[in-house]
Amino acid sequence: MSNSECVVNCDGLDHSHVKLISSDEREFIIKREHALLSGTIRGMLMEQGLWNQVKFSQISGAVLKIVCDYLAYRAQYVNGKRELPSFYLPLEISPERLSRFLDM
């Protein structure tokens, strides 16, 4: 997604995407509906009064990429009648840690 698309899609309350920014300044544009699956991210959006972006001061880009991938995976299967397929997590991130962070 280009920067111009981000300006259009990430600006304001009614737009369909949000920007997540890691501690090392990597930016990830994800669907708002995916971001709102996480109680943590939803709370940060509301707390900061910004419905279009969240800055994570202690989460690296590598970890935030995994979070974004997991949210997209979760959104795809959340209402499905099928069992969730396995989601690959690197060894440094346990499923419990990811779940606690996401507040899911």
Side-chain angles (χ1 to χ4, degrees), residues 52-89:
N52 60 349
Q53 72 179 28
V54 174
K55 170 89 168 148
F56 294 93
S57 62
Q58 298 181 356
I59 298 179
S60 70
V63 172
L64 192 54
K65 166 82 169 93
I66 293 165
V67 168
C68 293
D69 289 345
Y70 181 77
L71 290 170
Y73 156 86
R74 184 81 176 147
Q76 180 178 354
Y77 295 105
V78 74
N79 291 324
K81 297 182 191 239
R82 301 181 290 170
E83 186 174 320
L84 287 173
S86 296
F87 180 82
Y88 169 76
L89 281 175

PDB file of all heavy atoms in Angstrom, residues 52-89:
ATOM      1  N   ASN A  52      -6.871   6.430  13.966  1.00  0.00           N
ATOM      2  CA  ASN A  52      -6.220   6.006  12.737  1.00  0.00           C
ATOM      3  C   ASN A  52      -4.811   5.463  12.918  1.00  0.00           C
ATOM      4  O   ASN A  52      -4.264   4.915  11.991  1.00  0.00           O
ATOM      5  CB  ASN A  52      -6.204   7.141  11.716  1.00  0.00           C
ATOM      6  CG  ASN A  52      -5.466   8.357  12.225  1.00  0.00           C
ATOM      7  OD1 ASN A  52      -5.124   8.453  13.395  1.00  0.00           O
ATOM      8  ND2 ASN A  52      -5.218   9.298  11.342  1.00  0.00           N
ATOM      9  N   GLN A  53      -4.193   5.603  14.110  1.00  0.00           N
ATOM     10  CA  GLN A  53      -2.858   5.044  14.264  1.00  0.00           C
ATOM     11  C   GLN A  53      -2.502   4.800  15.721  1.00  0.00           C
ATOM     12  O   GLN A  53      -3.047   5.444  16.612  1.00  0.00           O
ATOM     13  CB  GLN A  53      -1.798   5.912  13.615  1.00  0.00           C
ATOM     14  CG  GLN A  53      -1.498   7.210  14.328  1.00  0.00           C
ATOM     15  CD  GLN A  53      -0.405   7.993  13.619  1.00  0.00           C
ATOM     16  OE1 GLN A  53      -0.217   7.889  12.416  1.00  0.00           O
ATOM     17  NE2 GLN A  53       0.301   8.805  14.365  1.00  0.00           N
ATOM     18  N   VAL A  54      -1.570   3.846  15.911  1.00  0.00           N
ATOM     19  CA  VAL A  54      -1.067   3.524  17.239  1.00  0.00           C
ATOM     20  C   VAL A  54       0.439   3.382  17.133  1.00  0.00           C
ATOM     21  O   VAL A  54       0.947   2.720  16.231  1.00  0.00           O
ATOM     22  CB  VAL A  54      -1.651   2.195  17.773  1.00  0.00           C
ATOM     23  CG1 VAL A  54      -1.000   1.801  19.083  1.00  0.00           C
ATOM     24  CG2 VAL A  54      -3.153   2.301  17.957  1.00  0.00           C
ATOM     25  N   LYS A  55       1.152   4.012  18.060  1.00  0.00           N
ATOM     26  CA  LYS A  55       2.614   3.909  18.142  1.00  0.00           C
ATOM     27  C   LYS A  55       2.953   3.009  19.317  1.00  0.00           C
ATOM     28  O   LYS A  55       2.500   3.234  20.433  1.00  0.00           O
ATOM     29  CB  LYS A  55       3.200   5.309  18.341  1.00  0.00           C
ATOM     30  CG  LYS A  55       4.653   5.333  18.683  1.00  0.00           C
ATOM     31  CD  LYS A  55       5.495   5.370  17.465  1.00  0.00           C
ATOM     32  CE  LYS A  55       6.926   5.692  17.899  1.00  0.00           C
ATOM     33  NZ  LYS A  55       7.920   5.105  17.111  1.00  0.00           N
ATOM     34  N   PHE A  56       3.727   1.964  19.055  1.00  0.00           N
ATOM     35  CA  PHE A  56       4.151   1.022  20.089  1.00  0.00           C
ATOM     36  C   PHE A  56       5.596   1.332  20.460  1.00  0.00           C
ATOM     37  O   PHE A  56       6.499   1.127  19.655  1.00  0.00           O
ATOM     38  CB  PHE A  56       4.041  -0.415  19.577  1.00  0.00           C
ATOM     39  CG  PHE A  56       2.636  -0.842  19.306  1.00  0.00           C
ATOM     40  CD1 PHE A  56       2.099  -0.708  18.039  1.00  0.00           C
ATOM     41  CD2 PHE A  56       1.849  -1.365  20.311  1.00  0.00           C
ATOM     42  CE1 PHE A  56       0.792  -1.104  17.775  1.00  0.00           C
ATOM     43  CE2 PHE A  56       0.538  -1.760  20.057  1.00  0.00           C
ATOM     44  CZ  PHE A  56       0.022  -1.620  18.788  1.00  0.00           C
ATOM     45  N   SER A  57       5.820   1.795  21.661  1.00  0.00           N
ATOM     46  CA  SER A  57       7.163   2.211  22.064  1.00  0.00           C
ATOM     47  C   SER A  57       8.069   1.042  22.436  1.00  0.00           C
ATOM     48  O   SER A  57       9.284   1.207  22.479  1.00  0.00           O
ATOM     49  CB  SER A  57       7.082   3.193  23.231  1.00  0.00           C
ATOM     50  OG  SER A  57       6.476   2.566  24.346  1.00  0.00           O
ATOM     51  N   GLN A  58       7.493  -0.125  22.700  1.00  0.00           N
ATOM     52  CA  GLN A  58       8.317  -1.254  23.142  1.00  0.00           C
ATOM     53  C   GLN A  58       8.150  -2.508  22.276  1.00  0.00           C
ATOM     54  O   GLN A  58       8.530  -3.587  22.699  1.00  0.00           O
ATOM     55  CB  GLN A  58       8.001  -1.587  24.594  1.00  0.00           C
ATOM     56  CG  GLN A  58       8.331  -0.439  25.520  1.00  0.00           C
ATOM     57  CD  GLN A  58       8.045  -0.773  26.974  1.00  0.00           C
ATOM     58  OE1 GLN A  58       7.526  -1.827  27.289  1.00  0.00           O
ATOM     59  NE2 GLN A  58       8.371   0.150  27.847  1.00  0.00           N
ATOM     60  N   ILE A  59       7.591  -2.366  21.092  1.00  0.00           N
ATOM     61  CA  ILE A  59       7.395  -3.528  20.221  1.00  0.00           C
ATOM     62  C   ILE A  59       8.134  -3.286  18.915  1.00  0.00           C
ATOM     63  O   ILE A  59       7.878  -2.297  18.217  1.00  0.00           O
ATOM     64  CB  ILE A  59       5.900  -3.792  19.966  1.00  0.00           C
ATOM     65  CG1 ILE A  59       5.214  -4.092  21.290  1.00  0.00           C
ATOM     66  CG2 ILE A  59       5.713  -4.918  18.967  1.00  0.00           C
ATOM     67  CD1 ILE A  59       3.756  -4.350  21.187  1.00  0.00           C
ATOM     68  N   SER A  60       9.042  -4.186  18.596  1.00  0.00           N
ATOM     69  CA  SER A  60       9.842  -4.058  17.378  1.00  0.00           C
ATOM     70  C   SER A  60       8.986  -4.322  16.139  1.00  0.00           C
ATOM     71  O   SER A  60       7.909  -4.923  16.217  1.00  0.00           O
ATOM     72  CB  SER A  60      10.999  -5.054  17.407  1.00  0.00           C
ATOM     73  OG  SER A  60      10.513  -6.375  17.255  1.00  0.00           O
ATOM     74  N   GLY A  61       9.511  -3.914  15.011  1.00  0.00           N
ATOM     75  CA  GLY A  61       8.826  -4.158  13.745  1.00  0.00           C
ATOM     76  C   GLY A  61       8.653  -5.636  13.455  1.00  0.00           C
ATOM     77  O   GLY A  61       7.634  -6.051  12.921  1.00  0.00           O
ATOM     78  N   ALA A  62       9.651  -6.449  13.822  1.00  0.00           N
ATOM     79  CA  ALA A  62       9.565  -7.887  13.580  1.00  0.00           C
ATOM     80  C   ALA A  62       8.401  -8.500  14.353  1.00  0.00           C
ATOM     81  O   ALA A  62       7.647  -9.314  13.824  1.00  0.00           O
ATOM     82  CB  ALA A  62      10.881  -8.567  13.965  1.00  0.00           C
ATOM     83  N   VAL A  63       8.237  -8.092  15.602  1.00  0.00           N
ATOM     84  CA  VAL A  63       7.144  -8.616  16.420  1.00  0.00           C
ATOM     85  C   VAL A  63       5.803  -8.051  15.960  1.00  0.00           C
ATOM     86  O   VAL A  63       4.807  -8.774  15.859  1.00  0.00           O
ATOM     87  CB  VAL A  63       7.381  -8.327  17.915  1.00  0.00           C
ATOM     88  CG1 VAL A  63       6.165  -8.686  18.752  1.00  0.00           C
ATOM     89  CG2 VAL A  63       8.623  -9.071  18.406  1.00  0.00           C
ATOM     90  N   LEU A  64       5.765  -6.763  15.630  1.00  0.00           N
ATOM     91  CA  LEU A  64       4.514  -6.158  15.185  1.00  0.00           C
ATOM     92  C   LEU A  64       4.043  -6.771  13.872  1.00  0.00           C
ATOM     93  O   LEU A  64       2.843  -6.934  13.656  1.00  0.00           O
ATOM     94  CB  LEU A  64       4.662  -4.639  15.063  1.00  0.00           C
ATOM     95  CG  LEU A  64       3.380  -3.857  14.889  1.00  0.00           C
ATOM     96  CD1 LEU A  64       2.351  -4.166  15.979  1.00  0.00           C
ATOM     97  CD2 LEU A  64       3.670  -2.355  14.851  1.00  0.00           C
ATOM     98  N   LYS A  65       4.961  -7.171  13.018  1.00  0.00           N
ATOM     99  CA  LYS A  65       4.594  -7.867  11.777  1.00  0.00           C
ATOM    100  C   LYS A  65       3.861  -9.168  12.096  1.00  0.00           C
ATOM    101  O   LYS A  65       2.842  -9.485  11.480  1.00  0.00           O
ATOM    102  CB  LYS A  65       5.862  -8.148  10.958  1.00  0.00           C
ATOM    103  CG  LYS A  65       5.708  -9.140   9.826  1.00  0.00           C
ATOM    104  CD  LYS A  65       5.132  -8.491   8.601  1.00  0.00           C
ATOM    105  CE  LYS A  65       5.223  -9.384   7.387  1.00  0.00           C
ATOM    106  NZ  LYS A  65       4.069 -10.204   7.141  1.00  0.00           N
ATOM    107  N   ILE A  66       4.342  -9.894  13.083  1.00  0.00           N
ATOM    108  CA  ILE A  66       3.698 -11.141  13.488  1.00  0.00           C
ATOM    109  C   ILE A  66       2.305 -10.849  14.046  1.00  0.00           C
ATOM    110  O   ILE A  66       1.344 -11.562  13.755  1.00  0.00           O
ATOM    111  CB  ILE A  66       4.564 -11.892  14.512  1.00  0.00           C
ATOM    112  CG1 ILE A  66       5.846 -12.360  13.823  1.00  0.00           C
ATOM    113  CG2 ILE A  66       3.809 -13.065  15.122  1.00  0.00           C
ATOM    114  CD1 ILE A  66       6.941 -12.791  14.777  1.00  0.00           C
ATOM    115  N   VAL A  67       2.185  -9.786  14.836  1.00  0.00           N
ATOM    116  CA  VAL A  67       0.882  -9.390  15.384  1.00  0.00           C
ATOM    117  C   VAL A  67      -0.092  -9.088  14.245  1.00  0.00           C
ATOM    118  O   VAL A  67      -1.232  -9.565  14.254  1.00  0.00           O
ATOM    119  CB  VAL A  67       1.027  -8.169  16.320  1.00  0.00           C
ATOM    120  CG1 VAL A  67      -0.324  -7.555  16.656  1.00  0.00           C
ATOM    121  CG2 VAL A  67       1.776  -8.565  17.597  1.00  0.00           C
ATOM    122  N   CYS A  68       0.349  -8.325  13.253  1.00  0.00           N
ATOM    123  CA  CYS A  68      -0.519  -7.987  12.117  1.00  0.00           C
ATOM    124  C   CYS A  68      -0.928  -9.238  11.339  1.00  0.00           C
ATOM    125  O   CYS A  68      -2.100  -9.379  10.964  1.00  0.00           O
ATOM    126  CB  CYS A  68       0.187  -7.004  11.193  1.00  0.00           C
ATOM    127  SG  CYS A  68       0.456  -5.384  11.922  1.00  0.00           S
ATOM    128  N   ASP A  69       0.019 -10.120  11.118  1.00  0.00           N
ATOM    129  CA  ASP A  69      -0.288 -11.371  10.414  1.00  0.00           C
ATOM    130  C   ASP A  69      -1.304 -12.191  11.203  1.00  0.00           C
ATOM    131  O   ASP A  69      -2.234 -12.767  10.632  1.00  0.00           O
ATOM    132  CB  ASP A  69       0.979 -12.196  10.190  1.00  0.00           C
ATOM    133  CG  ASP A  69       1.913 -11.592   9.163  1.00  0.00           C
ATOM    134  OD1 ASP A  69       1.491 -10.686   8.412  1.00  0.00           O
ATOM    135  OD2 ASP A  69       3.083 -12.031   9.126  1.00  0.00           O
ATOM    136  N   TYR A  70      -1.129 -12.239  12.528  1.00  0.00           N
ATOM    137  CA  TYR A  70      -2.052 -13.012  13.351  1.00  0.00           C
ATOM    138  C   TYR A  70      -3.457 -12.409  13.325  1.00  0.00           C
ATOM    139  O   TYR A  70      -4.445 -13.129  13.253  1.00  0.00           O
ATOM    140  CB  TYR A  70      -1.557 -13.127  14.798  1.00  0.00           C
ATOM    141  CG  TYR A  70      -2.504 -13.951  15.625  1.00  0.00           C
ATOM    142  CD1 TYR A  70      -2.498 -15.344  15.504  1.00  0.00           C
ATOM    143  CD2 TYR A  70      -3.438 -13.367  16.465  1.00  0.00           C
ATOM    144  CE1 TYR A  70      -3.395 -16.123  16.219  1.00  0.00           C
ATOM    145  CE2 TYR A  70      -4.329 -14.143  17.186  1.00  0.00           C
ATOM    146  CZ  TYR A  70      -4.309 -15.515  17.064  1.00  0.00           C
ATOM    147  OH  TYR A  70      -5.203 -16.275  17.761  1.00  0.00           O
ATOM    148  N   LEU A  71      -3.549 -11.089  13.372  1.00  0.00           N
ATOM    149  CA  LEU A  71      -4.865 -10.450  13.332  1.00  0.00           C
ATOM    150  C   LEU A  71      -5.585 -10.754  12.016  1.00  0.00           C
ATOM    151  O   LEU A  71      -6.790 -11.010  12.008  1.00  0.00           O
ATOM    152  CB  LEU A  71      -4.739  -8.941  13.557  1.00  0.00           C
ATOM    153  CG  LEU A  71      -4.354  -8.532  14.975  1.00  0.00           C
ATOM    154  CD1 LEU A  71      -4.020  -7.045  15.028  1.00  0.00           C
ATOM    155  CD2 LEU A  71      -5.448  -8.880  15.969  1.00  0.00           C
ATOM    156  N   ALA A  72      -4.855 -10.742  10.911  1.00  0.00           N
ATOM    157  CA  ALA A  72      -5.465 -11.073   9.614  1.00  0.00           C
ATOM    158  C   ALA A  72      -5.908 -12.534   9.596  1.00  0.00           C
ATOM    159  O   ALA A  72      -7.005 -12.857   9.118  1.00  0.00           O
ATOM    160  CB  ALA A  72      -4.479 -10.798   8.480  1.00  0.00           C
ATOM    161  N   TYR A  73      -5.071 -13.413  10.128  1.00  0.00           N
ATOM    162  CA  TYR A  73      -5.400 -14.836  10.231  1.00  0.00           C
ATOM    163  C   TYR A  73      -6.644 -15.033  11.088  1.00  0.00           C
ATOM    164  O   TYR A  73      -7.576 -15.736  10.721  1.00  0.00           O
ATOM    165  CB  TYR A  73      -4.182 -15.555  10.823  1.00  0.00           C
ATOM    166  CG  TYR A  73      -4.449 -16.861  11.516  1.00  0.00           C
ATOM    167  CD1 TYR A  73      -4.506 -18.050  10.803  1.00  0.00           C
ATOM    168  CD2 TYR A  73      -4.610 -16.900  12.892  1.00  0.00           C
ATOM    169  CE1 TYR A  73      -4.718 -19.260  11.451  1.00  0.00           C
ATOM    170  CE2 TYR A  73      -4.821 -18.096  13.549  1.00  0.00           C
ATOM    171  CZ  TYR A  73      -4.880 -19.274  12.831  1.00  0.00           C
ATOM    172  OH  TYR A  73      -5.099 -20.452  13.483  1.00  0.00           O
ATOM    173  N   ARG A  74      -6.669 -14.375  12.222  1.00  0.00           N
ATOM    174  CA  ARG A  74      -7.797 -14.500  13.157  1.00  0.00           C
ATOM    175  C   ARG A  74      -9.097 -13.995  12.516  1.00  0.00           C
ATOM    176  O   ARG A  74     -10.148 -14.616  12.654  1.00  0.00           O
ATOM    177  CB  ARG A  74      -7.470 -13.720  14.421  1.00  0.00           C
ATOM    178  CG  ARG A  74      -8.457 -13.817  15.481  1.00  0.00           C
ATOM    179  CD  ARG A  74      -8.280 -15.084  16.262  1.00  0.00           C
ATOM    180  NE  ARG A  74      -9.247 -15.023  17.341  1.00  0.00           N
ATOM    181  CZ  ARG A  74      -9.856 -16.045  17.851  1.00  0.00           C
ATOM    182  NH1 ARG A  74      -9.564 -17.242  17.447  1.00  0.00           N
ATOM    183  NH2 ARG A  74     -10.731 -15.898  18.786  1.00  0.00           N
ATOM    184  N   ALA A  75      -9.017 -12.872  11.811  1.00  0.00           N
ATOM    185  CA  ALA A  75     -10.197 -12.308  11.150  1.00  0.00           C
ATOM    186  C   ALA A  75     -10.739 -13.270  10.096  1.00  0.00           C
ATOM    187  O   ALA A  75     -11.949 -13.376   9.916  1.00  0.00           O
ATOM    188  CB  ALA A  75      -9.855 -10.963  10.514  1.00  0.00           C
ATOM    189  N   GLN A  76      -9.863 -13.959   9.430  1.00  0.00           N
ATOM    190  CA  GLN A  76     -10.290 -14.882   8.383  1.00  0.00           C
ATOM    191  C   GLN A  76     -11.065 -16.064   8.956  1.00  0.00           C
ATOM    192  O   GLN A  76     -11.993 -16.556   8.340  1.00  0.00           O
ATOM    193  CB  GLN A  76      -9.071 -15.395   7.616  1.00  0.00           C
ATOM    194  CG  GLN A  76      -9.419 -16.354   6.504  1.00  0.00           C
ATOM    195  CD  GLN A  76      -8.199 -16.812   5.733  1.00  0.00           C
ATOM    196  OE1 GLN A  76      -7.088 -16.338   5.942  1.00  0.00           O
ATOM    197  NE2 GLN A  76      -8.409 -17.739   4.834  1.00  0.00           N
ATOM    198  N   TYR A  77     -10.705 -16.497  10.156  1.00  0.00           N
ATOM    199  CA  TYR A  77     -11.294 -17.711  10.705  1.00  0.00           C
ATOM    200  C   TYR A  77     -12.197 -17.504  11.905  1.00  0.00           C
ATOM    201  O   TYR A  77     -12.788 -18.452  12.389  1.00  0.00           O
ATOM    202  CB  TYR A  77     -10.179 -18.696  11.086  1.00  0.00           C
ATOM    203  CG  TYR A  77      -9.406 -19.175   9.890  1.00  0.00           C
ATOM    204  CD1 TYR A  77      -8.131 -18.693   9.629  1.00  0.00           C
ATOM    205  CD2 TYR A  77      -9.958 -20.099   9.013  1.00  0.00           C
ATOM    206  CE1 TYR A  77      -7.422 -19.130   8.524  1.00  0.00           C
ATOM    207  CE2 TYR A  77      -9.256 -20.532   7.902  1.00  0.00           C
ATOM    208  CZ  TYR A  77      -7.995 -20.042   7.664  1.00  0.00           C
ATOM    209  OH  TYR A  77      -7.296 -20.467   6.570  1.00  0.00           O
ATOM    210  N   VAL A  78     -12.342 -16.277  12.398  1.00  0.00           N
ATOM    211  CA  VAL A  78     -13.046 -16.032  13.655  1.00  0.00           C
ATOM    212  C   VAL A  78     -14.493 -16.503  13.648  1.00  0.00           C
ATOM    213  O   VAL A  78     -14.985 -17.036  14.623  1.00  0.00           O
ATOM    214  CB  VAL A  78     -12.928 -14.554  14.092  1.00  0.00           C
ATOM    215  CG1 VAL A  78     -13.801 -13.647  13.241  1.00  0.00           C
ATOM    216  CG2 VAL A  78     -13.252 -14.398  15.554  1.00  0.00           C
ATOM    217  N   ASN A  79     -15.211 -16.339  12.561  1.00  0.00           N
ATOM    218  CA  ASN A  79     -16.611 -16.742  12.512  1.00  0.00           C
ATOM    219  C   ASN A  79     -16.828 -18.032  11.732  1.00  0.00           C
ATOM    220  O   ASN A  79     -17.956 -18.417  11.490  1.00  0.00           O
ATOM    221  CB  ASN A  79     -17.461 -15.629  11.888  1.00  0.00           C
ATOM    222  CG  ASN A  79     -17.539 -14.429  12.796  1.00  0.00           C
ATOM    223  OD1 ASN A  79     -17.586 -14.566  14.011  1.00  0.00           O
ATOM    224  ND2 ASN A  79     -17.516 -13.247  12.223  1.00  0.00           N
ATOM    225  N   GLY A  80     -15.740 -18.673  11.365  1.00  0.00           N
ATOM    226  CA  GLY A  80     -15.849 -19.900  10.583  1.00  0.00           C
ATOM    227  C   GLY A  80     -16.278 -21.075  11.435  1.00  0.00           C
ATOM    228  O   GLY A  80     -16.109 -21.098  12.644  1.00  0.00           O
ATOM    229  N   LYS A  81     -16.860 -22.032  10.776  1.00  0.00           N
ATOM    230  CA  LYS A  81     -17.293 -23.245  11.470  1.00  0.00           C
ATOM    231  C   LYS A  81     -16.183 -24.285  11.487  1.00  0.00           C
ATOM    232  O   LYS A  81     -16.281 -25.294  12.156  1.00  0.00           O
ATOM    233  CB  LYS A  81     -18.538 -23.807  10.787  1.00  0.00           C
ATOM    234  CG  LYS A  81     -19.688 -22.825  10.877  1.00  0.00           C
ATOM    235  CD  LYS A  81     -20.926 -23.384  10.244  1.00  0.00           C
ATOM    236  CE  LYS A  81     -21.918 -22.261  10.128  1.00  0.00           C
ATOM    237  NZ  LYS A  81     -23.111 -22.351  10.727  1.00  0.00           N
ATOM    238  N   ARG A  82     -15.119 -23.981  10.747  1.00  0.00           N
ATOM    239  CA  ARG A  82     -13.982 -24.896  10.720  1.00  0.00           C
ATOM    240  C   ARG A  82     -13.062 -24.632  11.903  1.00  0.00           C
ATOM    241  O   ARG A  82     -13.043 -23.549  12.463  1.00  0.00           O
ATOM    242  CB  ARG A  82     -13.167 -24.688   9.443  1.00  0.00           C
ATOM    243  CG  ARG A  82     -13.950 -24.903   8.178  1.00  0.00           C
ATOM    244  CD  ARG A  82     -13.084 -24.697   6.978  1.00  0.00           C
ATOM    245  NE  ARG A  82     -12.766 -23.267   6.851  1.00  0.00           N
ATOM    246  CZ  ARG A  82     -11.881 -22.790   6.015  1.00  0.00           C
ATOM    247  NH1 ARG A  82     -11.188 -23.595   5.245  1.00  0.00           N
ATOM    248  NH2 ARG A  82     -11.665 -21.504   5.918  1.00  0.00           N
ATOM    249  N   GLU A  83     -12.302 -25.642  12.227  1.00  0.00           N
ATOM    250  CA  GLU A  83     -11.283 -25.491  13.262  1.00  0.00           C
ATOM    251  C   GLU A  83     -10.175 -24.586  12.723  1.00  0.00           C
ATOM    252  O   GLU A  83      -9.846 -24.621  11.532  1.00  0.00           O
ATOM    253  CB  GLU A  83     -10.714 -26.855  13.610  1.00  0.00           C
ATOM    254  CG  GLU A  83      -9.761 -26.821  14.779  1.00  0.00           C
ATOM    255  CD  GLU A  83      -9.337 -28.215  15.177  1.00  0.00           C
ATOM    256  OE1 GLU A  83     -10.182 -29.130  15.173  1.00  0.00           O
ATOM    257  OE2 GLU A  83      -8.156 -28.385  15.475  1.00  0.00           O
ATOM    258  N   LEU A  84      -9.611 -23.771  13.600  1.00  0.00           N
ATOM    259  CA  LEU A  84      -8.522 -22.893  13.190  1.00  0.00           C
ATOM    260  C   LEU A  84      -7.318 -23.710  12.755  1.00  0.00           C
ATOM    261  O   LEU A  84      -6.873 -24.598  13.489  1.00  0.00           O
ATOM    262  CB  LEU A  84      -8.083 -21.983  14.340  1.00  0.00           C
ATOM    263  CG  LEU A  84      -8.997 -20.841  14.723  1.00  0.00           C
ATOM    264  CD1 LEU A  84      -8.465 -20.162  15.979  1.00  0.00           C
ATOM    265  CD2 LEU A  84      -9.101 -19.841  13.604  1.00  0.00           C
ATOM    266  N   PRO A  85      -6.770 -23.419  11.578  1.00  0.00           N
ATOM    267  CA  PRO A  85      -5.525 -24.084  11.205  1.00  0.00           C
ATOM    268  C   PRO A  85      -4.378 -23.540  12.060  1.00  0.00           C
ATOM    269  O   PRO A  85      -4.510 -22.490  12.686  1.00  0.00           O
ATOM    270  CB  PRO A  85      -5.344 -23.704   9.729  1.00  0.00           C
ATOM    271  CG  PRO A  85      -6.182 -22.513   9.520  1.00  0.00           C
ATOM    272  CD  PRO A  85      -7.269 -22.537  10.549  1.00  0.00           C
ATOM    273  N   SER A  86      -3.285 -24.224  12.058  1.00  0.00           N
ATOM    274  CA  SER A  86      -2.130 -23.790  12.842  1.00  0.00           C
ATOM    275  C   SER A  86      -1.604 -22.461  12.327  1.00  0.00           C
ATOM    276  O   SER A  86      -1.603 -22.202  11.132  1.00  0.00           O
ATOM    277  CB  SER A  86      -1.017 -24.830  12.770  1.00  0.00           C
ATOM    278  OG  SER A  86      -1.434 -26.034  13.348  1.00  0.00           O
ATOM    279  N   PHE A  87      -1.158 -21.629  13.254  1.00  0.00           N
ATOM    280  CA  PHE A  87      -0.509 -20.365  12.911  1.00  0.00           C
ATOM    281  C   PHE A  87       0.923 -20.456  13.401  1.00  0.00           C
ATOM    282  O   PHE A  87       1.165 -20.729  14.570  1.00  0.00           O
ATOM    283  CB  PHE A  87      -1.235 -19.190  13.587  1.00  0.00           C
ATOM    284  CG  PHE A  87      -0.621 -17.856  13.272  1.00  0.00           C
ATOM    285  CD1 PHE A  87      -0.933 -17.203  12.102  1.00  0.00           C
ATOM    286  CD2 PHE A  87       0.273 -17.263  14.155  1.00  0.00           C
ATOM    287  CE1 PHE A  87      -0.366 -15.979  11.794  1.00  0.00           C
ATOM    288  CE2 PHE A  87       0.846 -16.036  13.862  1.00  0.00           C
ATOM    289  CZ  PHE A  87       0.529 -15.393  12.677  1.00  0.00           C
ATOM    290  N   TYR A  88       1.869 -20.237  12.507  1.00  0.00           N
ATOM    291  CA  TYR A  88       3.281 -20.344  12.873  1.00  0.00           C
ATOM    292  C   TYR A  88       3.701 -19.142  13.708  1.00  0.00           C
ATOM    293  O   TYR A  88       3.496 -17.996  13.317  1.00  0.00           O
ATOM    294  CB  TYR A  88       4.162 -20.429  11.626  1.00  0.00           C
ATOM    295  CG  TYR A  88       5.622 -20.280  11.953  1.00  0.00           C
ATOM    296  CD1 TYR A  88       6.324 -21.341  12.522  1.00  0.00           C
ATOM    297  CD2 TYR A  88       6.276 -19.077  11.761  1.00  0.00           C
ATOM    298  CE1 TYR A  88       7.658 -21.200  12.862  1.00  0.00           C
ATOM    299  CE2 TYR A  88       7.605 -18.929  12.101  1.00  0.00           C
ATOM    300  CZ  TYR A  88       8.286 -19.990  12.656  1.00  0.00           C
ATOM    301  OH  TYR A  88       9.603 -19.842  13.000  1.00  0.00           O
ATOM    302  N   LEU A  89       4.280 -19.418  14.867  1.00  0.00           N
ATOM    303  CA  LEU A  89       4.873 -18.386  15.713  1.00  0.00           C
ATOM    304  C   LEU A  89       6.348 -18.703  15.911  1.00  0.00           C
ATOM    305  O   LEU A  89       6.692 -19.842  16.220  1.00  0.00           O
ATOM    306  CB  LEU A  89       4.212 -18.352  17.096  1.00  0.00           C
ATOM    307  CG  LEU A  89       2.872 -17.663  17.212  1.00  0.00           C
ATOM    308  CD1 LEU A  89       2.323 -17.843  18.618  1.00  0.00           C
ATOM    309  CD2 LEU A  89       2.974 -16.197  16.862  1.00  0.00           C
TER     310      LEU A  89
END
